[in-house]
Amino acid sequence: MEDRLAPVSESTKGTLLLVDGLSMAFRAFFGLPVENFATSTGVPTNAVYGFTTMLATLMKDHEPTHLAVAFDLPGGTFRTERLPSYKGTRDETPPEFEPQVPLIREVLGALGVTAVDKPRYEADDLLATYARLGREAGLRVLVVSGDRDTIQLVNDDVTLLYPRKGVSDLVRFTPDAVQEKYGVRPEQYPDMAALVGETSDNLPGVPGVGPKTAAKWIGVYGGLAGILESAEDVPGKAGQSLRDHVDQVRLNRELNHLLTDLEVEVPVEDLEYAGGDAAAIHEVCDALQFRTLRDRLLPFAAGDDAAEAAVETAAVVVRSEGAVAAVTAMTGPVAVHVDGRGGADADAWALGVADAADVAWGIDLTGLGPADEKALAAWLADASVPKVLHGAKDAWHALQARGWDLAGIVGDTQIAAFLVNPDQRGFELDQILQRHLGLTLDSAAASGELDLGLGGSAAEGAGERAAHVRALAAVLDPMVAERGMADLYADLEIPLVSVLARMEHAGMAVDREKLGALSDEARGRADRAAEDAYAAIGGDRVNLGSPKQLQEVLFDRLGMPKTKKIKTGYSTDASSLHDLNEKAPHPFLTALLAHRDASKLSQIIETLAQAVQPDGRIHTTFSQVVAATGRLSSKDPNLQNIPIRTPEGHRIREAFVVGEGFDTLVTADYSQIEMRIMAHLSGDSGLIEAFAAGEDLHRFVGSRVFGVAPEGVTPEMRSQVKAMSYGLAYGLSSFGLARQLGLPVGAAQALMDDYFSRFGGVRDYLHAVVEQARKDGYTETIFGRRRYVPDLTSTNRQRRDIAERVALNAPIQGSAADLIKRAMLGVEARLKDEGLASRQVLQVHDELVVETAPGERAAVETILREEMRAAGDLSVPLDVNVGTGGDWRTAGH
DNA sequence: TACTATCCGTT
DNA sequence: GACGTACGGATAGTAT
């Protein structure tokens, strides 16, 4: 019995793996603690995780050629029709289990595993039927079930894997193993079970008869039929008990017989396993937040034909000799890969180029002669040679670091992969190759960090990767086009790469002294507030930065009322602390809030100060492949979350200054861009009129909602309407609105009702956009950028609700992102056309910052105004505010 | 060292 | 019973 999990001997015709879905999911559920397995949104995943792990192990160990997972359907079966109390003693399934069943089916779908079910029949009956069909087809059959009834299926061709504990410890039942454990042959097991009874099925047995007696009788009388025939002769107390319960035994035997002759929808030959879909596996692993499991599932992905064709072309011969001459003679289109890093102390060290189906060139850039240097630099800077890269902006920087320009970028497979599915995570070359071509690079080659001492290997690696990029482009370009995003890709995202590269390269000048003074100040305030906080609790120097220790102080020691629940207890966030301070005022709370404020500030300042480069400027890194809505993101440091609301925030912005040799900073931002997009997309006449009128939007809307003259709109009314308007674009509920405005839910609901009665087009649009997305599976911006929202059809309420908010927000936020990106291209083109030396240095979602050269301020203001306005042709005007100053704060006013 | 949880800054 | 999008990033605490 210890020979569990050893692969069965494979027959020449293959192996059929049959799994009882629910019984194994249930075992997984109870085998793994539910509290340790959930997504960040609280969806429990322990059963999905355990089940999937088990399945992956089985698939890997046994390499089944045919595969099916059978499910019980809700509702009764022919057995409960026969006996309503059948399985009647089972406890109510835990509420965390049910929602995981559709998730398991999603995993199976991604893996390409057939799920089978049949109304009025149990999964076991399907297993029994498929076991017979598989056996008749000459397949070796493996049944995996936690239901003992399936023991009857075991024979020379059918082995049962039965969970002993959890789902990772499976016992292998062959006929001999069954005989050894139960003392009967597998086909006699139901006879035995009929006599002994099955508590889990609510089938009582013969009192006083256990497995030993049952086995003995079966041995003596040859089976249940013989036993019942000779019932009168069965001796002893047990014999009498048997005679008293003959009807029950007959019923048991009738019910525990599994049907092997069901009509099945899927013939057994269609259970042949053809592999899963890599993209779908990624998608489901993303959704369920599976990390380690992803790597175990991906090997089951089948490459499709297109991908395989592309992989073929990626099988390259890499050549280094004569590479420079060969490459510089190319007129494109070519795939280019650059190894190296941008930045102050590193540059490009290897270049790979691929343009033919089977030859790629690799060049070691570290040992080039002057002639080669010149030729290569010219070729890279030649805009008439079209080039495709993966992460072109990084390559741009790496080449720039050695003084070379990169031009002619016509494609970026990283961006293409992002457009195809922006919700994915991880767009590094090796990840995208894995995802779309099923290719696995070895980690050294994939990372591009090859040892320079290995002679030509860096060059060869670069050549190989260039070939892979070429293959990727061949697969991804049609996918982008298929999704209607060819123009968005070629005319917006790709040209933007160079614009962003130049912005990052330029950076923003910083007044170090100002920053330093601010830092000291904030540090001092934080320290003083900390002392106040310690004093307020009797001098105990708890770590104020530790939510855990704060919880202990607030809720245990001070006995304060509980705040909102979080995973680790009760929240100590700012809004909770404010609430607490109203309910139970305490000097500790005030001091803690002040400390939080000051230390956050000093932390931000410290991070910024540390990010200043030797050139006295901060160079952020923008990404086009992070925010699923299409917004840019900024990191190292993030310049898109610099404080602005507080006086201290203003002072931080004052430290961002115009650089030497330049004149001013000009900042231009769209006014109410999201509401304008809402007006355009919804076509609501009231909202369009509001913008056409050109007066204060929230005042206008407020006057309509509250039925007063615009002058009669109080600041209170205005702020309520403003919160309402913006909340709409985020899928705000009346509860959320109430909480934000400090109103009763009823009042918030009334406000929403009034709003919608005046702006019905908005309500209709919001409703329609979700419906359309549910139908199509994706949302779209004005410019055709897609975001897929599969969870709109999820049976899980929470997932569905989140998906609805995503569907509401994505077209609005995404269209705004498209607009400002278009504006950036327009601004860049105008600056160049007009021969100006001013340059864009920052984008913050609805705001552009330009550093102007002397004498160009007026021209730049005009360009910003015009290009931002002209970025889209909407049914409402795009209003732009422009400001100028020697620092970011001043310009922003 | 790597990862999770919490908190908080922006739009 | 929860309940507003999209991010980046610091810190604490825990797992490896």
Side-chain angles (χ1 to χ4, degrees):
Chain A
M1 284 293 276
E2 289 309 308
D3 57 341
R4 63 199 165 81
L5 278 189
V8 296
S9 61
E10 311 291 333
S11 87
T12 47
K13 290 183 81 173
T15 301
L16 167 63
L17 180 64
L18 296 169
V19 181
D20 182 341
L22 284 190
S23 88
M24 295 309 289
F26 224 71
R27 297 285 182 142
F29 181 84
F30 288 110
L32 298 170
V34 65
E35 59 272 18
N36 294 355
F37 292 84
T39 65
S40 52
T41 55
V43 179
T45 54
N46 62 328
V48 193
Y49 185 89
F51 180 89
T52 309
T53 306
M54 171 210 73
L55 185 63
T57 305
L58 289 170
M59 289 169 70
K60 184 161 175 282
D61 289 350
H62 300 285
E63 297 179 359
T65 54
H66 296 66
L67 187 49
V69 177
F71 285 91
D72 299 293
L73 291 175
T77 66
F78 75 94
R79 290 189 180 85
T80 53
E81 287 163 16
R82 174 76 178 80
L83 178 68
S85 64
Y86 180 69
K87 294 193 175 178
T89 50
R90 297 206 170 172
D91 290 338
E92 193 80 346
T93 52
E96 292 88 356
F97 179 75
E98 293 286 352
Q100 300 193 56
V101 176
L103 301 180
I104 288 172
R105 287 188 179 245
E106 272 182 45
V107 171
L108 294 176
L111 286 173
V113 175
T114 311
V116 293
D117 52 41
K118 191 171 173 74
R120 291 189 62 248
Y121 293 93
E122 291 182 46
D124 285 344
D125 296 311
L126 284 162
L127 298 183
T129 299
Y130 277 115
R132 174 183 63 81
L133 292 171
R135 188 186 183 193
E136 287 170 5
L139 297 168
R140 190 85 177 79
V141 181
L142 277 175
V143 174
V144 184
S145 172
D147 191 329
R148 267 193 290 268
D149 285 338
T150 50
I151 291 172
Q152 66 189 272
L153 304 179
V154 172
N155 57 44
D156 287 345
D157 298 317
V158 179
T159 301
L160 170 67
L161 301 177
Y162 183 86
R164 173 154 52 191
K165 191 177 147 230
V167 287
S168 52
D169 188 2
L170 302 181
V171 183
R172 185 167 166 244
F173 276 120
T174 57
D176 287 348
V178 173
Q179 176 79 47
E180 189 185 321
K181 168 133 181 146
Y182 295 101
V184 296
R185 294 194 309 279
E187 66 273 19
Q188 294 172 323
Y189 181 82
D191 290 354
M192 174 182 224
L195 290 165
V196 175
E198 183 62 80
T199 42
S200 71
D201 291 341
N202 197 22
L203 297 177
V206 178
V209 174
K212 289 280 183 266
T213 309
K216 193 175 79 190
W217 288 351
I218 289 169
V220 172
Y221 301 101
L224 189 61
I227 295 170
L228 293 178
E229 240 166 62
S230 318
E232 293 306 322
D233 307 331
V234 178
K237 230 178 158 178
Q240 186 53 46
S241 188
L242 169 67
R243 289 187 284 278
D244 293 342
H245 294 88
V246 165
D247 289 346
Q248 179 65 47
V249 170
R250 285 191 205 279
L251 178 65
N252 288 353
R253 187 62 186 87
E254 180 190 338
L255 291 175
N256 74 17
H257 169 67
L258 298 182
L259 304 182
T260 58
D261 55 357
L262 296 189
E263 277 193 28
V264 291
E265 274 177 36
V266 187
V268 71
E269 56 269 25
D270 286 5
L271 298 182
E272 185 161 358
Y273 186 60
D277 177 56
I281 291 172
H282 279 290
E283 197 174 304
V284 76
C285 287
D286 285 344
L288 296 172
Q289 296 169 5
F290 287 163
R291 308 164 70 88
T292 50
L293 207 43
R294 182 188 309 247
D295 296 332
R296 298 185 53 193
L297 298 184
L298 280 171
F300 298 116
D304 59 34
D305 293 347
E308 265 161 29
V311 174
E312 289 285 303
T313 68
V316 290
V317 178
V318 173
R319 293 163 51 171
S320 298
E321 247 173 82
V324 173
V327 164
T328 53
M330 291 179 184
T331 54
V334 292
V336 175
H337 177 89
V338 178
D339 265 357
R341 290 176 308 184
D345 59 347
D347 59 10
W349 59 69
L351 179 73
V353 180
D355 84 332
D358 55 356
V359 180
W361 296 90
I363 303 173
D364 182 350
L365 298 177
T366 57
L368 287 179
D372 283 346
E373 287 247 355
K374 200 175 157 201
L376 257 188
W379 182 82
L380 286 165
D382 187 349
S384 73
V385 179
K387 305 172 184 87
V388 178
L389 300 91
H390 186 90
K393 183 155 63 61
D394 293 342
W396 189 100
H397 285 299
L399 293 170
Q400 194 67 38
R402 61 151 54 219
W404 291 359
D405 290 329
L406 174 62
I409 302 169
V410 298
D412 186 324
T413 47
Q414 187 169 61
I415 293 172
F418 171 78
L419 290 178
V420 164
N421 189 352
D423 275 284
Q424 305 251 350
R425 288 268 143 188
F427 290 94
E428 294 308 312
L429 179 57
D430 56 338
Q431 295 168 309
I432 298 303
L433 284 173
Q434 166 71 253
R435 199 173 299 160
H436 288 281
L437 297 184
L439 276 183
T440 309
L441 297 185
D442 70 79
S443 55
S447 69
E449 288 174 9
L450 295 171
D451 186 346
L452 290 178
L454 292 178
S457 65
E460 283 171 18
E464 215 169 294
R465 287 191 286 281
H468 286 140
V469 170
R470 191 176 168 280
L472 258 187
V475 171
L476 288 171
D477 286 351
M479 293 179 78
V480 170
E482 228 171 77
R483 287 161 174 72
M485 290 185 284
D487 292 347
L488 186 78
Y489 176 58
D491 302 337
L492 185 69
E493 297 292 352
I494 294 304
L496 192 64
V497 169
S498 313
V499 176
L500 293 176
R502 282 190 284 273
M503 288 170 70
E504 293 172 358
H505 190 66
M508 278 190 97
V510 168
D511 184 333
R512 279 197 183 95
E513 282 72 39
K514 210 171 255 180
L515 217 48
L518 261 181
S519 176
D520 296 343
E521 219 178 281
R523 190 69 266 157
R525 272 197 302 129
D527 291 346
R528 283 195 298 279
E531 291 303 333
D532 293 347
Y534 301 147
I537 52 169
D540 188 1
R541 301 177 86 78
V542 294
N543 185 344
L544 299 176
S546 161
K548 197 180 166 211
Q549 295 182 34
L550 288 180
Q551 286 182 32
E552 209 236 293
V553 170
L554 293 175
F555 307 117
D556 297 345
R557 244 190 283 175
L558 298 179
M560 297 211 165
K562 300 288 196 283
T563 56
K564 75 177 175 206
K565 232 178 160 12
I566 54 176
K567 274 187 187 165
T568 57
Y570 299 94
S571 176
T572 66
D573 68 9
S575 83
S576 298
L577 295 180
H578 277 121
D579 287 351
L580 272 185
N581 210 21
E582 282 184 12
K583 285 187 209 150
H586 194 288
F588 179 72
L589 293 171
T590 324
L592 175 57
L593 281 164
H595 172 262
R596 277 259 178 84
D597 229 43
S599 59
K600 175 76 178 177
L601 207 67
S602 101
Q603 167 232 314
I604 289 172
I605 297 165
E606 209 33 65
T607 309
L608 285 176
Q610 190 234 323
V612 179
Q613 297 298 304
D615 62 356
R617 303 176 72 97
I618 287 181
H619 303 266
T620 187
T621 301
F622 293 107
S623 177
Q624 294 167 265
V625 297
V626 170
T629 52
R631 273 188 179 178
L632 295 180
S633 79
S634 156
K635 66 168 187 170
D636 299 329
N638 183 354
L639 292 188
Q640 291 179 324
N641 71 341
I642 303 302
I644 190 172
R645 297 186 209 284
T646 60
E648 289 78 13
H650 285 161
R651 292 175 60 198
I652 294 178
R653 289 189 174 218
E654 280 173 8
F656 286 84
V657 296
V658 63
E660 216 180 298
F662 289 83
D663 192 33
T664 57
L665 291 180
V666 175
T667 165
D669 65 292
Y670 281 120
S671 132
Q672 295 140 345
I673 184 69
E674 294 191 331
M675 285 312 293
R676 285 170 201 266
I677 289 165
M678 176 91 94
H680 173 81
L681 288 174
S682 70
D684 182 275
S685 53
L687 211 49
I688 291 174
E689 191 192 334
F691 283 117
E695 60 180 291
D696 181 287
L697 172 76
H698 304 304
R699 181 169 296 278
F700 182 100
V701 172
S703 84
R704 293 295 177 91
V705 169
F706 292 107
V708 299
E711 310 81 62
V713 176
T714 63
E716 172 80 4
M717 290 156 87
R718 186 179 182 281
S719 82
Q720 289 191 356
V721 161
K722 186 177 173 184
M724 168 90 218
S725 290
Y726 280 100
L728 287 179
Y730 300 142
L732 186 65
S733 64
S734 56
F735 179 93
L737 183 64
R739 207 174 47 146
Q740 191 187 320
L741 296 176
L743 294 173
V745 176
Q749 186 60 54
L751 181 64
M752 284 180 105
D753 291 344
D754 288 344
Y755 191 104
F756 282 138
S757 73
R758 297 296 177 156
F759 300 94
V762 173
R763 179 196 50 216
D764 295 345
Y765 163 72
L766 293 174
H767 188 252
V769 79
V770 173
E771 276 321 300
Q772 190 66 37
R774 209 188 305 279
K775 195 157 70 93
D776 298 337
Y778 59 86
T779 64
E780 235 175 344
T781 67
I782 298 172
F783 301 95
R785 180 189 304 276
R786 285 190 190 180
R787 181 170 183 188
Y788 289 84
V789 200
D791 275 0
L792 282 176
T793 55
S794 168
T795 53
N796 180 297
R797 245 290 283 289
Q798 197 175 4
R799 279 177 83 173
R800 209 172 52 239
D801 285 351
I802 292 171
E804 285 182 6
R805 291 195 291 271
V806 164
L808 287 178
N809 180 253
I812 296 172
Q813 188 180 118
S815 295
D818 294 347
L819 278 171
I820 196 161
K821 283 177 170 176
R822 288 163 61 96
M824 292 168 78
L825 296 184
V827 169
E828 191 76 0
R830 285 281 294 279
L831 290 174
K832 186 174 183 220
D833 287 352
E834 298 181 19
L836 303 179
S838 303
R839 53 196 188 172
Q840 304 187 68
V841 290
L842 187 63
Q843 186 251 49
V844 191
H845 308 312
D846 67 354
E847 172 188 10
L848 291 177
V849 181
V850 174
E851 192 172 41
T852 68
E856 297 182 358
R857 185 180 57 82
V860 166
E861 283 190 24
T862 304
I863 288 173
L864 280 169
R865 243 183 248 289
E866 291 180 356
E867 294 303 323
M868 287 175 75
R869 269 178 196 278
D873 185 18
L874 274 55
S875 48
V876 292
L878 291 176
D879 200 25
V880 179
N881 295 317
V882 181
T884 309
D887 63 76
W888 190 9
R889 183 196 73 81
T890 311
H893 269 239

